[in-house]
Amino acid sequence: MIGKSMMTLALAGVATAAWTQPAATPGGTDAAPRFGVRPSIEHVSLSPDGMHLAYIAPVGGQGSALYTVALPDGEPRRAVGTDGKAQRLSSCDWVSNARLVCQVYATVKSDINVFTVNRLIAINADGSDVKMLSNNESLYQRRWTLYGGEVLDWMPGTANTILVQHDFVPEDKVASRIAEKRDGLGVQRVDTMSLSRTVVQTGVLNAVDYVTDGIGHVRLMGIQPPANSSQMMGRKINYSYRAAGGGGWTPFGSYDVVDESGLNPIAVDPKSDTVYAYRKIDGRRALVKVDLANSLREDLVYSNPRFDVGSLLRLGRARRIVGATFESDRSEAIYFDPDLKALAAALGHALPKGTMINFAGASDDETKLLIWAGSDTDPGRYYWFDRPTRKLTELMLVRPQLEGMALAPMRAITYPGADGTPIPAYLTLPPGSSGKNIPAIVLPHGGPSARDSWGFDWLVQFFVAQGYAVLQPQFRGSAGYGDAWFKNEGFRQWKVAITDVADAGHWLVKQGIADPARLAIFGWSYGGYAALQAQVLKPDLFKAVVAVAPVTDLAQLKEQYRNFTNYNFSADFIGAGAHVREGSPAQNADRFKAPVLIFQGDTDRNVYVVQSRMMDAALARAGKTHELVIYPGLDHYLDDSAARTDMLAKSDAFLKSALKR
């Protein structure tokens, strides 16, 4: 039961009532199942009246189930579930106090490609009256309908009605007057009960983006003309806007998807009739506001001299804009709403020191708030906050299996690169250890256009629990630090990024933290590539390599995108020349000295499984110690508790053997 027990705190003027949910999935006695289990909450939503919660929780394999519960102390009730094989739930949000809209998706394999297919359904909170919201498919369609649409606007104040972005697909019907002739991305108003539909924006060829004002009006449209007659994507998205009172489309600006120059509109504030957009200023992403009613006057909202602006903070079904974020050593929130700013500060005083706060949902009148709170040593928990009474009620733990377990604090540090450049990183040491001459792991992130963030990380905490120091380098090529840091270091200038990763290992040894004979590297996706390529660059440094879903051959990575319209971007990102072979671990397996363990799902859409198989074959031909573990039916993220547990257990055993622990 949610909210079964209660205790009252009086800190910083906030009275809190904490109610603890029992662990939904008991953890095992050893670390691998406790850290490998999927989070108990995969998506959460607060109803319009703020008195009901919906959340998606994992079930067997890759399956998931939707639960709804009356707040503050009702019993969770299962509404619907999927087995994770044919389909999975990714989100479920309230369209009224009794009905939800869910996005269902599946990964489909063809002979040469892997695709993701999604559909929208509506369902009552008790699991009844399930209806398909995506348009019905036809045998006469000219192309597959992979994209089943997404909700653009929840239209608060209306009953069970939403705006859905939809791909109109023309039909070839001989001698028929009712065949679908529209083509391209458009928007429909859909009644989730009756399924009645009204086209509010007909399909437009090459349209890729629509932005609404949160109260039911489409205000911006983005069109991305093809680059050439082969229909490869062009670099520019040309945006137009529509006045508040309606009417035709007027040019707004353009955005370059490659170098991110120009205006990238992301939200409309209907009260001020302004558009929030990203724009590069001094090589870093900034947030600006464009006045639609005043000749597109542009004003700076926020920029940071060191970091890119991250995302907008938005609240409730109207998606009201309340702030923005950026990542320094940890995630920082800049609140535009003074009341929420004050509340976040008060909650920061009421909750344990260092806790991060996120307003994850709100009732339509914003008197009830759903709050996520967590830190590096707290995987997170959800609270329900009643603003009139100022009561804070703890609802659910994100990882109940780890409750009460001593987790290790994550510390932001910098270390010198080979050329003297300070490289930011996160260092986590085992609790109670001396932090000297211990086994250590360098853990580069995926991407490469990504970065690590301060906070709970299940991989880091698992390895720290096994006695390893873990260092996460934000190597050059990482996102969030501006253009000068990002550059082309991912693949075209791979030596810069991989040298930074290797220098993380050198620093651990030089500081006396790592025993040089017990230094390993572990990476996932691009991080897996970095782990393998570090052996090519510095074969004597790391004594064991673990790579999950790694890129291993750059030429093959290009071919993965051959039949997609973004092939030209992908090919340009990877580049051409000698670095393609030099930067491919599978082409340089003879340089490897450390044993290698590789994991991958065979339905990986991000990195095709052929990459791991190529690496496996190359290491075998070179006579190197290696092992490949393939998980049938799993994708890039291995979203299966048994598979993740197996991966952690096998990695732990492999590292202990390779490092002679």
Side-chain angles (χ1 to χ4, degrees):
M1 176 184 293
I2 293 181
K4 188 175 181 180
S5 61
M6 171 177 156
M7 64 178 178
T8 302
L9 305 176
L11 297 175
V14 178
T16 66
W19 305 32
T20 304
Q21 179 196 32
T25 308
T29 56
D30 57 328
R34 296 180 75 177
F35 288 99
V37 67
R38 290 160 59 191
S40 62
I41 309 298
E42 297 181 333
H43 180 83
V44 64
S45 177
L46 193 63
S47 63
D49 64 2
M51 298 304 298
H52 294 81
L53 190 75
Y55 63 93
I56 297 175
V59 294
Q62 298 179 89
S64 51
L66 168 66
Y67 293 86
T68 62
V69 58
L71 299 175
D73 56 3
E75 292 283 354
R77 176 172 56 179
R78 178 169 166 149
V80 68
T82 63
D83 62 7
K85 297 177 182 177
Q87 54 196 14
R88 308 176 208 173
L89 286 171
S90 61
S91 65
C92 288
D93 292 282
W94 299 91
V95 69
S96 71
N97 291 322
R99 195 159 176 79
L100 300 105
V101 172
C102 300
Q103 186 167 95
V104 183
Y105 76 100
T107 302
V108 180
K109 293 175 66 176
S110 69
D111 291 339
I112 57 174
N113 293 117
V114 183
F115 303 95
T116 297
V117 181
N118 81 292
R119 295 292 183 265
L120 292 175
I121 64 169
I123 184 173
N124 286 341
D126 62 3
S128 63
D129 197 20
V130 180
K131 291 179 177 176
M132 177 70 73
L133 298 183
S134 299
N135 281 14
N136 292 326
E137 295 180 84
S138 163
L139 294 174
Y140 303 100
Q141 289 182 182
R142 292 182 188 173
R143 60 179 182 267
W144 293 351
T145 308
L146 299 177
Y147 177 66
E150 63 182 290
V151 178
L152 288 182
D153 200 305
W154 294 93
M155 300 181 65
T158 65
N160 295 304
T161 305
I162 52 177
L163 292 188
V164 176
Q165 184 170 276
H166 167 73
D167 186 19
F168 289 94
V169 181
E171 298 174 327
D172 289 320
K173 276 187 181 180
V174 178
S176 172
R177 294 184 179 181
I178 60 173
E180 176 64 77
K181 302 299 183 184
R182 294 166 295 194
D183 193 1
L185 198 67
V187 182
Q188 295 180 321
R189 182 183 293 111
V190 181
D191 186 307
T192 64
M193 296 293 292
S194 68
L195 298 187
S196 65
R197 302 170 187 272
T198 303
V199 176
V200 299
Q201 173 59 56
T202 192
V204 177
L205 277 176
N206 303 314
V208 294
D209 188 24
Y210 291 99
V211 181
T212 77
D213 58 7
I215 54 174
H217 307 109
V218 180
R219 299 297 306 278
L220 289 124
M221 173 175 64
I223 296 177
Q224 188 173 10
N228 49 46
S229 58
S230 66
Q231 295 299 303
M232 287 290 110
M233 283 183 177
R235 289 178 57 143
K236 295 289 184 70
I237 300 178
N238 299 317
Y239 281 96
S240 301
Y241 75 94
R242 179 180 282 154
W249 292 104
T250 302
F252 176 81
S254 64
Y255 174 69
D256 190 306
V257 300
V258 176
D259 64 19
E260 299 183 347
S261 61
L263 275 174
N264 181 14
I266 49 176
V268 175
D269 180 0
K271 288 187 177 181
S272 61
D273 199 22
T274 55
V275 174
Y276 283 85
Y278 295 132
R279 181 187 284 284
K280 287 286 183 69
I281 297 177
D282 297 330
R284 292 177 178 81
R285 189 166 72 173
L287 183 66
V288 300
K289 193 159 60 171
V290 181
D291 192 336
L292 296 179
N294 191 13
S295 303
L296 300 184
R297 189 190 71 205
E298 185 176 318
D299 296 305
L300 178 65
V301 177
Y302 181 76
S303 66
N304 188 284
R306 295 181 57 203
F307 306 102
D308 293 326
V309 171
S311 59
L312 279 185
L313 294 173
R314 309 185 71 173
L315 191 65
R317 295 195 309 147
R319 309 286 289 148
R320 186 170 72 88
I321 300 152
V322 298
T325 68
F326 69 92
E327 293 268 352
S328 57
D329 292 341
R330 56 181 289 166
S331 181
E332 307 278 355
I334 306 299
Y335 286 101
F336 310 148
D337 183 300
D339 291 337
L340 283 181
K341 181 179 180 179
L343 178 57
L347 289 169
H349 286 97
L351 297 172
K353 185 178 180 180
T355 298
M356 296 184 294
I357 304 294
N358 177 34
F359 296 105
S363 59
D364 283 356
D365 63 7
E366 297 187 11
T367 61
K368 309 291 190 299
L369 299 177
L370 182 65
I371 296 167
W372 175 91
S375 69
D376 53 346
T377 57
D378 182 351
R381 56 198 70 220
Y382 284 96
Y383 294 89
W384 182 66
F385 183 66
D386 185 282
R387 294 179 88 170
T389 64
R390 300 183 70 78
K391 284 187 178 180
L392 188 68
T393 302
E394 183 177 312
L395 300 176
M396 299 177 293
L397 305 177
V398 175
R399 289 182 176 269
Q401 301 82 4
L402 300 179
E403 185 71 355
M405 184 174 183
L407 300 178
M410 178 184 287
R411 180 161 57 96
I413 60 103
T414 60
Y415 64 89
D419 60 0
T421 300
I423 311 298
Y426 294 102
L427 176 65
T428 310
L429 299 174
S433 79
S434 65
K436 296 295 182 182
N437 201 39
I438 60 176
I441 294 173
V442 172
L443 204 161
H445 61 72
S449 52
R451 59 159 290 170
D452 289 309
S453 298
W454 182 90
F456 174 82
D457 185 308
W458 62 280
L459 284 171
V460 171
Q461 293 294 339
F462 169 76
F463 287 119
V464 168
Q466 309 313 303
Y468 296 92
V470 176
L471 185 62
Q472 298 168 272
Q474 310 309 296
F475 47 85
R476 278 168 281 191
S478 300
Y481 297 90
D483 291 348
W485 194 259
F486 182 69
K487 288 186 178 178
N488 296 313
E489 274 85 3
F491 293 119
R492 286 194 288 174
Q493 298 178 33
W494 63 267
K495 283 186 180 178
V496 177
I498 305 306
T499 297
D500 286 351
V501 170
D503 286 339
H506 289 307
W507 182 84
L508 284 168
V509 172
K510 187 175 181 179
Q511 294 296 308
I513 297 171
D515 175 351
R518 296 185 292 168
L519 179 63
I521 187 167
F522 181 111
W524 199 314
S525 194
Y526 181 87
Y529 165 79
L532 294 168
Q533 192 63 10
Q535 272 289 290
V536 178
L537 187 68
K538 298 288 182 80
D540 295 309
L541 179 61
F542 297 107
K543 311 307 180 187
V545 179
V546 182
V548 186
V551 171
T552 70
D553 188 275
L554 300 188
Q556 178 60 42
L557 184 63
K558 277 191 191 181
E559 286 305 306
Q560 175 177 317
Y561 296 97
R562 174 70 66 178
N563 298 313
F564 294 88
T565 57
N566 65 343
Y567 172 74
N568 53 334
F569 297 155
S570 303
D572 184 62
F573 183 70
I574 295 165
H579 77 274
V580 173
R581 188 184 188 285
E582 294 168 356
S584 296
Q587 300 298 324
N588 296 278
D590 58 313
R591 291 185 57 80
F592 278 56
K593 292 186 178 181
V596 176
L597 176 60
I598 302 173
F599 300 94
Q600 192 163 13
D602 70 356
T603 316
D604 192 328
R605 181 178 178 272
N606 300 55
V607 179
Y608 287 0
V609 71
V610 64
Q611 295 274 346
S612 288
R613 289 181 169 142
M614 289 180 72
M615 191 74 230
D616 180 61
L619 290 168
R621 288 193 299 270
K624 307 299 181 178
T625 302
H626 70 288
E627 181 182 357
L628 172 62
V629 179
I630 299 292
Y631 294 110
L634 297 191
D635 64 13
H636 191 66
Y637 306 99
L638 303 182
D639 282 328
D640 181 301
S641 296
R644 287 187 173 188
T645 297
D646 181 71
M647 181 198 70
L648 292 180
K650 282 186 168 68
S651 297
D652 185 38
F654 167 78
L655 292 173
K656 284 178 178 174
S657 174
L659 303 180
K660 299 178 174 57
R661 291 190 60 198

